[in-house]
Amino acid sequence: MEVEEELDAVVAVYGDDVVGIERIGDGGARVVTIRINPDVAGHEALIHASLLVRISIPDTYPAAGRAEVVIESMAGVADEDGVGLDESLAAKSKELEGEQSLFELLQACKDFANDHNVPADDCCICMCPFDDDEPYVKAKCSHSFHSECLSRWIHDQRVQAHDKSTEKAHKDGDREAESGGGAKCAVCRQDIGEDRVKVLEEWLGALWAE
């Protein structure tokens, strides 16, 4: 696979996460910038750790040059957890010298994001830490919650909204009361985001059944 074909394949796989591909000078050198998110099946609400990665590809790549990876920035990862990542990627790049290595280097970054896709802070409702196997949701405002905690919060807010609507309907002589709503952050009261609420549908359904 030629370098251009390899880059085309990267764009095809990573899509909109490819921030840019810049040609350096008159030769074949490139700088590729890609945002690496964990594998969350398209649910933005489940993304906590993400990386902005820059890969420098010399014009002699791959035969006599290797791709070099630099982590431009990390989000949702504790500083101590990111220590050594650049060195690890540099070692992998050296190991793959002489080969086309973009996908293996990007997969190493993806594996790191998957392994660290757990909020470093405590749940904003119960104030307990997140275990690796506990489902959680990050609201649009970036506050993170256990899925169960946030579901109970939304459920309680909807019950309160329904009760108020019912009381108003009785006073006004209306037949039905409005239900729903209450999808506000427990911390800042901003909208959590409808896509986040959809992730919690199973939890919310179980609460309504109680």
Side-chain angles (χ1 to χ4, degrees), residues 30-32 53-58 61 65-72 86 89-94 97 101-102 105 109:
R30 304 282 196 283
V31 173
V32 183
V53 176
R54 187 183 77 238
I55 303 180
S56 297
I57 306 170
Y61 170 89
R66 57 191 175 93
E68 296 186 355
V69 184
V70 173
I71 305 300
E72 290 283 284
D86 281 324
L89 291 169
K92 190 164 190 66
S93 174
K94 187 174 182 179
E97 189 169 358
S101 57
L102 297 186
L105 293 170
C109 296

Side-chain angles (χ1 to χ4, degrees), residues 3-67:
V3 176
E4 290 294 341
E5 293 176 344
E6 188 179 15
L7 288 172
D8 287 344
V10 167
V11 172
V13 171
Y14 285 88
D16 292 339
D17 289 331
V18 178
V19 178
I21 299 177
E22 180 183 359
R23 183 185 292 272
I24 306 299
D26 297 329
R30 304 282 196 283
V31 173
V32 183
T33 305
I34 300 180
R35 185 168 302 283
I36 301 294
N37 291 319
D39 295 317
V40 292
H43 293 301
E44 186 180 347
L46 303 180
I47 296 175
H48 187 78
S50 65
L51 312 175
L52 187 63
V53 176
R54 187 183 77 238
I55 303 180
S56 297
I57 306 170
D59 53 11
T60 54
Y61 170 89
R66 57 191 175 93

Side-chain angles (χ1 to χ4, degrees), residues 11-195:
V11 172
V13 171
Y14 285 88
D16 292 339
D17 289 331
V18 178
V19 178
I21 299 177
E22 180 183 359
R23 183 185 292 272
I24 306 299
D26 297 329
R30 304 282 196 283
V31 173
V32 183
T33 305
I34 300 180
R35 185 168 302 283
I36 301 294
N37 291 319
D39 295 317
V40 292
H43 293 301
E44 186 180 347
L46 303 180
I47 296 175
H48 187 78
S50 65
L51 312 175
L52 187 63
V53 176
R54 187 183 77 238
I55 303 180
S56 297
I57 306 170
D59 53 11
T60 54
Y61 170 89
R66 57 191 175 93
E68 296 186 355
V69 184
V70 173
I71 305 300
E72 290 283 284
S73 62
M74 291 190 294
V77 179
D79 291 340
E80 59 269 23
D81 290 336
V83 173
L85 178 57
D86 281 324
E87 290 81 359
S88 174
L89 291 169
K92 190 164 190 66
S93 174
K94 187 174 182 179
E95 174 189 335
L96 296 169
E97 189 169 358
E99 305 174 22
Q100 290 186 305
S101 57
L102 297 186
F103 277 103
E104 289 196 54
L105 293 170
L106 289 169
Q107 186 59 51
C109 296
K110 175 78 76 171
D111 291 343
F112 179 88
N114 285 331
D115 291 343
H116 294 83
N117 194 41
V118 178
D121 298 329
D122 296 339
C123 171
C124 293
I125 292 177
C126 71
M127 305 307 294
C128 293
F130 295 89
D131 293 334
D132 291 342
D133 59 347
E134 282 185 302
Y136 75 91
V137 169
K138 183 173 76 172
K140 288 177 67 175
C141 54
S142 294
H143 291 116
S144 296
F145 309 88
H146 291 114
S147 293
E148 182 176 3
C149 293
L150 184 56
S151 296
R152 290 192 177 279
W153 164 262
I154 294 173
H155 173 74
D156 290 347
Q157 295 305 299
R158 287 181 172 178
V159 169
Q160 291 178 22
H162 182 267
D163 289 347
K164 288 180 180 178
S165 181
T166 300
E167 182 180 353
K168 183 178 185 300
H170 287 162
K171 287 181 179 179
D172 296 344
D174 295 335
R175 292 183 179 181
E176 297 181 358
E178 296 180 0
S179 60
K184 303 289 184 182
C185 175
V187 179
C188 65
R189 299 303 192 270
Q190 294 184 40
D191 286 337
I192 290 170
E194 283 303 314
D195 55 334

